Amino acid sequence: RKIGARSADERLAWRRARKGNHDAGDLEAKGGYAEAELLRREYRRTSEAIFGEKHPYTATGYNNLAYNLNAQAKYADAAPLYQKALALRLELLGEKHPETAGSYDNLAGNLHGQGKYTAAQPLYEKALDVRVELLGEKHADTAGSYNNVGFNLNAQGKYDKAEPPFKKALDLDIELFGENDPRTAVGYNNLAHNMRMQGKHAAADPLYRKALKYYLERSGEQHPTTIIIMGNLAGNLDDQKQFADAQVLHQKAL
């Protein structure tokens, strides 16, 4: 995007920073978080230097650097950056904005990563409320928010309260993406785990099997997610004292 009446040096610096920010996303997709961190930091510095503190680009810089640090499990370092991004977006964009909803969600995820589930819950719920209002029920981000609310309730041991948002997320995933999509497969696994934690082992079994079927067909036996779901299904069979069937899956996962 054009940045207005800036010097040639500033325009060049901004082009480099934007390219670096894009390259950082590619690196992070491949697990290169440490290398990407340098690019995220440069984008944050450059956006603030050119546009000032009170600008959406600067808020994006804080958010993206926080994302990178969070992915490296540097939760304490990421937290104030997520907080800064949220504060800026609230001031500049208002509460009813998709990027503000994203900031609520991101900060909640940071708190969840630190085990601060109670503090994360109202932020996850705020993100969900904003997305439902702005995007409607039938939207991928809304489905993701339902899943996040359930996931955080599960982490608090509130399994009965987590079940409805998990079911809602799965229903939306099936409607929006169909059965043959990784988001739907993960939705089956998440609801299955919730059922298992409630002792509803028979209900959890077919959900785990649907998730496992997808990953076996699409990603193969040696994919990490396939192995995790295989272990989950085996554990659920153990809970039902179906030890012979569970043993086969445990051995395969091992």
Side-chain angles (χ1 to χ4, degrees):
R1 298 176 182 176
K2 293 180 180 179
I3 63 172
R6 308 286 176 176
S7 69
D9 287 345
E10 285 181 325
R11 289 196 297 271
L12 178 60
W14 181 235
R15 284 197 296 271
R16 287 175 175 170
R18 287 183 63 216
K19 183 180 184 304
N21 195 52
H22 179 271
D23 291 344
D26 292 338
L27 287 167
E28 288 163 351
K30 300 173 184 175
Y33 294 105
E35 187 178 354
E37 181 182 338
L38 301 175
L39 299 174
R40 295 297 196 194
R41 289 188 181 279
E42 181 62 25
Y43 179 88
R44 200 213 66 73
R45 286 193 298 266
T46 303
S47 60
E48 184 173 2
I50 294 177
F51 301 103
E53 174 84 4
K54 302 294 180 69
H55 195 282
Y57 289 158
T58 304
T60 297
Y62 279 116
N63 182 81
N64 291 356
L65 176 56
Y67 167 81
N68 177 278
L69 295 171
N70 214 62
Q72 298 182 68
K74 298 178 180 179
Y75 302 120
D77 294 334
L81 301 176
Y82 272 142
Q83 290 165 356
K84 189 69 174 178
L86 175 58
L88 284 172
R89 285 172 169 170
L90 281 169
E91 180 178 353
L92 298 169
L93 306 174
E95 186 167 275
K96 308 300 184 182
H97 193 281
E99 290 185 16
T100 305
S103 274
Y104 278 124
D105 209 38
N106 292 341
L107 180 55
N110 173 269
L111 292 167
H112 183 99
Q114 297 179 72
K116 299 178 180 179
Y117 309 124
T118 303
Q121 194 64 39
L123 297 174
Y124 276 133
E125 291 173 356
K126 176 66 74 171
L128 174 60
D129 289 343
V130 172
R131 284 169 171 164
V132 168
E133 182 174 347
L134 291 177
L135 306 173
E137 286 278 352
K138 296 181 180 181
H139 192 279
D141 289 347
T142 305
S145 269
Y146 276 115
N147 182 74
N148 290 346
V149 168
F151 197 68
N152 197 62
L153 287 168
N154 243 28
Q156 298 173 73
K158 299 178 179 180
Y159 304 118
D160 57 334
K161 292 183 178 179
E163 183 179 336
F166 273 138
K167 283 184 174 178
K168 184 69 174 180
L170 177 58
D171 288 343
L172 286 172
D173 288 339
I174 293 171
E175 182 174 355
L176 293 170
F177 313 119
E179 290 282 353
N180 295 316
D181 188 274
R183 287 162 289 195
T184 304
V186 169
Y188 277 122
N189 179 76
N190 290 349
L191 179 58
H193 178 69
N194 173 268
M195 294 291 191
R196 181 185 173 194
M197 291 300 98
Q198 295 184 73
K200 300 177 180 179
H201 304 295
D205 190 274
L207 301 174
Y208 276 135
R209 291 183 186 278
K210 285 187 176 182
L212 181 59
K213 181 176 183 291
Y214 172 87
Y215 273 96
L216 283 171
E217 291 177 351
R218 296 303 178 97
S219 302
E221 286 187 341
Q222 298 184 22
H223 191 277
T225 304
T226 307
I227 298 168
I228 290 169
I229 297 173
M230 197 177 294
N232 291 345
L233 175 57
N236 193 58
L237 290 169
D238 278 329
D239 294 341
Q240 299 174 81
K241 302 187 184 307
Q242 297 178 27
F243 301 120
D245 291 338
Q247 182 67 21
V248 174
L249 292 173
H250 279 307
Q251 188 66 44
K252 178 71 74 173
L254 177 62

